[in-house]
Amino acid sequence: MRAAARVQAGIEILDRIIQTSAPADAELRDYFRPRRYAGGGDRRAVGGMVYDVLRQWHELVWRLGETPVTGRALMRAHLADDGELDTLFAGDAHGPAPLDAAEQAAPPRPRDGAPEWARANVPEWLWPEFEARFGAEVCAELDALNQRAPTDLRVNRLKADRDGVLRRLGKDGIEAAASAVTPDGIRLTGHPALSDHSLYREGRIEVQDEGSQIAAALVEATPRGQVVDLCAGAGGKTLALAATMENKGQIHAFDIHAGRLDRLRLRVQRAGVRNVQAHRLAAEAPVPEDLSHRMARVLIDAPCSGVGTWRRQPEGRVRLTPTALADHAAAQRGLLAKGAGFAGPGGRVIYVVCSPLASEGEDVVAAFLAERADFHALPVAEVWANVLAGEAPGAGPYLMLTPAANGTDGFFVAILERDA
Ligand SMILES: C[S@@+](CC[C@H](N)C(=O)[O-])C[C@H]1O[C@@H](n2cnc3c(N)ncnc32)[C@H](O)[C@@H]1O
């Protein structure tokens, strides 16, 4: 594909991202599936351009001023400063049409004047919440949240040990290092595709952000324990819990989404896990009677804005709305109340969101504790000392992980213990 054709492909993919709710990487795959003429270099170049736009989205939108946000407008603003706009928008076969009179009359504003929220690539309405959370560090934190994330692995200790996996990766020329915090974590230097690697196919490793591994470790699930994973999804944390529990005890994995539970079952098989029962549980369904007030641990990895994963899914920063955020907070409160119904005397509810926003973290927990005097927050540092290396970051009762401070996705974790 010529350069202009790549730009046009980027424009069409951006239009799809604007119009649908599918992840950006899925839109890229779908776009190229019927276009066999595009080679690997074309796909990488177009993907790079699309992700470049996603990582500057709010600044580009600000620069466009009153111009409606389309793939073409975004690409025009993205390429405005590199001197080749007229060559690329020249009306070549398969390339974008030349700039029309209206476009020529309204060039993008210079980026120098962009406000802080735009430069940080977050929606204007969310800026106050980020400022309140991060204070003087807000720009550094949001800059880190706008970079590409590393690839982290979790060694499945039911089938492998970390030193052996590191040796194998080294032999295959994959640069990697053990995590200093999590017992089974490995961070890769680059981003090699591992889905065809035998370590992955045989269930010896899972791809899992270190923050997610930390959250799972803080459940402090023990062999023979009874655990509920209320929002198990495709099972990222379920598998980590099963390994910590040495395949003993019982994990009751629930989700409202049957398709995700199907994926969980496949992963459970691959990982050699035998202590998981997965069941669909409708949002409005009560706590099953046989599990009511019996669990030692209840993990609630609640659905959320996903702000903490914006490094991996930058399209999230385009799609989040104030209404969606308020809906998440309402659902999170409901889930915390429901999850508490599983906890036995002395049991713990571990509330997790991959978001640094207080409205999905502390505020949800505060509302819960105000209603449930029989629960108290167990300081995260106390549990950290039992299950993870080094010191827990931060001094408060809850855990906040961020890309800038911890090199992980953004996570909030609260451990809420029921009176014995
Ligand atoms: C953050 S994701 C879970 C990720 C998963 N725990 C992991 O580590 O891979 C949140 C999940 O909550 C599920 N969910 C949403 N509302 C729910 C509800 N009321 N009850 C149970 N699960 C729910 C969603 O379908 C989604 O799979």
Side-chain angles (χ1 to χ4, degrees):
M1 289 167 79
R2 302 172 68 113
R6 288 176 172 178
V7 170
Q8 180 60 26
I11 288 172
E12 289 169 25
I13 293 164
L14 288 168
D15 279 332
R16 290 177 179 209
I17 291 171
I18 291 168
Q19 284 151 18
T20 69
S21 59
D25 59 354
E27 289 297 357
L28 275 157
R29 269 198 311 276
D30 285 358
Y31 182 84
F32 281 117
R33 192 167 296 125
R35 294 174 168 82
R36 302 247 170 239
Y37 55 83
D42 294 321
R43 288 164 200 241
R44 275 191 296 281
V46 174
M49 233 180 317
V50 167
Y51 276 90
D52 280 348
V53 169
L54 288 169
R55 292 193 195 285
Q56 309 166 62
W57 189 282
H58 290 287
E59 183 181 271
L60 296 173
V61 169
W62 177 85
R63 292 184 67 186
L64 286 169
E66 302 300 311
T67 307
V69 179
T70 61
R72 178 177 168 92
L74 288 162
M75 195 61 89
R76 181 166 68 91
H78 171 52
L79 298 171
D81 302 334
D82 76 359
E84 291 191 35
L85 195 63
D86 290 334
T87 325
L88 294 168
F89 283 65
D92 288 358
H94 311 300
L99 299 184
D100 63 22
E103 287 172 322
Q104 300 218 18
R109 301 193 245 185
R111 57 198 308 251
D112 290 352
E116 279 176 312
W117 57 266
R119 273 184 277 135
N121 194 22
V122 300
E124 184 174 10
W125 60 270
L126 252 186
W127 179 252
E129 207 172 327
F130 284 118
E131 268 195 312
R133 159 66 72 201
F134 295 123
E137 300 304 317
V138 66
C139 291
E141 287 284 355
L142 293 179
D143 183 50
L145 193 59
N146 207 18
Q147 307 299 322
R148 188 170 180 192
T151 301
D152 292 338
L153 308 179
R154 182 180 57 78
V155 175
N156 175 14
R157 61 171 97 151
L158 299 176
K159 286 191 163 188
D161 68 84
R162 182 158 69 177
D163 288 344
V165 168
L166 282 167
R167 275 197 301 278
R168 175 66 199 281
L169 291 172
K171 256 193 211 157
D172 294 345
I174 299 173
E175 229 178 289
S179 157
V181 175
T182 55
D184 304 315
I186 286 180
R187 177 156 294 177
L188 304 185
T189 303
H191 295 89
L194 287 174
S195 52
D196 282 334
H197 198 286
S198 60
L199 284 172
Y200 178 76
R201 278 190 280 107
E202 291 163 10
R204 294 170 202 276
I205 55 168
E206 292 288 334
V207 176
Q208 185 174 26
D209 176 72
E210 183 169 52
S212 173
Q213 296 183 50
I214 290 172
L218 289 172
V219 174
E220 205 179 13
T222 53
R224 308 200 185 288
Q226 287 289 313
V227 177
V228 157
D229 185 357
L230 184 54
C231 301
K237 295 184 189 63
T238 320
L239 298 182
L241 297 176
T244 314
M245 293 165 71
E246 299 167 12
N247 238 343
K248 298 176 187 147
Q250 194 64 241
I251 303 174
H252 308 273
F254 294 111
D255 203 281
I256 52 170
H257 201 291
R260 290 187 187 140
L261 291 174
D262 287 343
R263 289 210 296 284
L264 176 147
R265 291 187 188 96
L266 285 176
R267 294 174 77 189
V268 155
Q269 259 185 355
R270 192 175 59 216
V273 164
R274 291 186 306 273
N275 61 345
V276 170
Q277 291 183 26
H279 297 289
R280 186 175 171 271
L281 187 67
E284 58 286 358
V287 170
E289 208 166 313
D290 55 331
L291 303 181
S292 167
H293 297 304
R294 297 206 176 164
M295 296 296 114
R297 302 285 186 266
V298 183
L299 170 61
I300 306 175
D301 187 18
C304 69
S305 63
V307 166
T309 64
W310 277 357
R311 296 187 303 175
R312 299 174 200 282
Q313 279 115 28
E315 65 277 13
R317 51 180 81 234
V318 175
R319 293 175 175 159
L320 185 60
T321 63
T323 311
L325 188 59
D327 289 350
H328 283 312
Q332 288 152 358
R333 287 174 194 221
L335 279 162
L336 199 38
K338 184 170 185 173
F342 288 94
R348 293 180 199 163
V349 172
I350 297 86
Y351 174 75
V352 179
V353 278
C354 52
S355 166
L357 303 177
S359 55
E360 302 187 273
E362 290 94 327
D363 296 356
V364 173
V365 171
F368 171 77
L369 290 176
E371 281 182 9
R372 294 295 301 257
D374 55 334
F375 278 84
H376 61 275
L378 191 62
V380 160
E382 281 183 28
V383 180
W384 183 289
N386 299 335
V387 292
L388 294 159
E391 299 227 333
Y398 309 129
L399 178 69
M400 171 60 62
L401 298 172
T402 68
N406 313 99
T408 63
D409 284 350
F411 274 98
F412 170 87
V413 181
I415 304 174
L416 308 168
E417 192 168 58
R418 190 177 158 207
D419 295 344

